[in-house]
Amino acid sequence: MHSAAHAKRQKAEAGEKPKAAQPELSKPLRNYVDLHRHAAVRADLLQNPDIALRLMLAHVIAGSSLWSVEPEQQRASKEATADSIAASPAQMDFEAERREVADLLGLGESDDEAGNDAKTYIVPRGQDFGAGRSLSELFATLLGLSDEHVRRVSAFVMAETLEVGSATIDDLGALFGTDSRQSWQADDAFFDLLRGKPAINAMVHELAGENAAASNLTATAKVQKAILRDCLSGARKAETENWQPRYMQFPMQYYCEAS
């Protein structure tokens, strides 16, 4: 009696191709099973919001074919602007939190080894989304974190994906009562970018008073900005304490027409 292996060899020698093994589940049956398993698990997920939150974070951070999320990369149009934001206390606090959240999730070391930027984005950039991070492993990590730590990660992920210049910034600033003076002061980068004389004169009016604004109405922008600098440095008496330009208020205000 010939063995199955011997028969297989004979067919191979005769030039016959072995039949491909048939999958246990046909494509239609696989689709049927997948859909019913999905429906069952999804119904249970609705009853477990704490787990759903962790799973959502894992999807945002690790990626999925159904998720497309980008971190705000804070692209600066001028080098001086990049230097200014990098020196901001608010930005430095954020970067410190980034490192701690990366440690919580076990992401910092692996990303550094991969040769990415020194800044470890928690939410990967577009070209990296869904690559190099295991959704299952990240989900398991999040399941092991306390509710407090998950809320911390959640807040950071939302903050990292908050769009610069969006209306949501005004909404949140007004909701929180954000005071930009706690983390920002008018610096060289701000004054160098400040151009419109009507707006500058209105700032002189706020900071140095009505007489100073009127007497310097036709003065150059450079002269009027020097008045603002003197008021802020204490070289000249300021009419307004703790001044901030309207641009830094929430919601954002303008001196002339909004642009």
Side-chain angles (χ1 to χ4, degrees):
M1 188 175 188
H2 295 294
S3 67
H6 180 69
K8 187 175 181 181
R9 282 197 302 273
Q10 283 186 323
K11 288 182 179 180
E13 290 170 359
E16 295 182 25
K17 292 183 179 180
K19 290 183 180 180
Q22 294 294 319
E24 183 171 344
L25 300 180
S26 65
K27 286 185 178 179
L29 181 55
R30 166 65 70 180
N31 175 249
Y32 175 93
V33 170
D34 285 346
L35 285 173
H36 278 285
R37 285 164 51 85
H38 174 269
V41 169
R42 189 165 63 175
D44 283 344
L45 188 61
L46 296 177
Q47 307 305 316
N48 292 274
D50 289 343
I51 292 177
L53 173 61
R54 288 162 168 81
L55 183 60
M56 181 182 71
L57 285 172
H59 276 70
V60 173
I61 298 168
S64 156
S65 63
L66 299 179
W67 286 72
S68 178
V69 184
E70 285 276 354
E72 173 53 65
Q73 296 182 50
Q74 296 180 298
R75 294 184 177 91
S77 59
K78 299 282 188 180
E79 184 177 353
T81 299
D83 292 341
S84 179
I85 189 64
S88 162
Q91 184 73 7
M92 288 190 283
D93 287 347
F94 189 82
E95 296 303 335
E97 181 67 0
R98 182 195 305 279
R99 291 188 291 272
E100 294 194 20
V101 169
D103 287 342
L104 273 176
L105 298 174
L107 296 178
E109 182 178 349
S110 61
D111 277 10
D112 289 343
E113 289 176 349
N116 290 344
D117 295 344
K119 178 189 291 184
T120 301
Y121 285 98
I122 302 303
V123 177
R125 290 158 292 184
Q127 68 271 21
D128 303 321
F129 199 74
R133 293 178 180 177
S134 166
L135 177 59
S136 294
E137 290 178 5
L138 189 55
F139 181 41
T141 297
L142 287 161
L143 285 174
L145 295 182
S146 66
D147 288 348
E148 180 182 0
H149 281 156
V150 169
R151 286 193 295 270
R152 182 179 180 183
V153 173
S154 179
F156 184 88
V157 166
M158 183 62 254
E160 190 177 55
T161 56
L162 186 61
E163 185 181 4
V164 166
S166 66
T168 308
I169 300 297
D170 272 342
D171 295 339
L172 290 173
L175 178 65
F176 299 147
T178 300
D179 185 352
S180 63
R181 291 169 293 195
Q182 299 299 315
S183 60
W184 176 86
Q185 292 181 342
D187 56 10
D188 289 342
F190 173 76
F191 283 117
D192 288 345
L193 293 169
L194 195 58
R195 291 285 188 269
K197 283 181 61 177
I200 296 172
N201 189 256
M203 293 181 193
V204 172
H205 187 285
E206 286 181 341
L207 196 52
E210 182 178 357
N211 291 337
S215 61
N216 288 278
L217 183 60
T218 60
T220 64
K222 181 178 180 179
V223 168
Q224 295 192 64
K225 285 192 282 187
I227 295 172
L228 296 174
R229 290 176 181 273
D230 287 345
C231 288
L232 293 173
S233 69
R236 179 176 184 142
K237 185 178 183 304
E239 297 293 319
T240 302
E241 294 184 1
N242 298 318
W243 175 81
Q244 64 175 345
R246 297 177 192 176
Y247 311 140
M248 300 298 293
Q249 298 174 12
F250 299 94
M252 184 176 178
Q253 304 294 321
Y254 296 88
Y255 292 95
C256 307
E257 291 184 8
S259 56

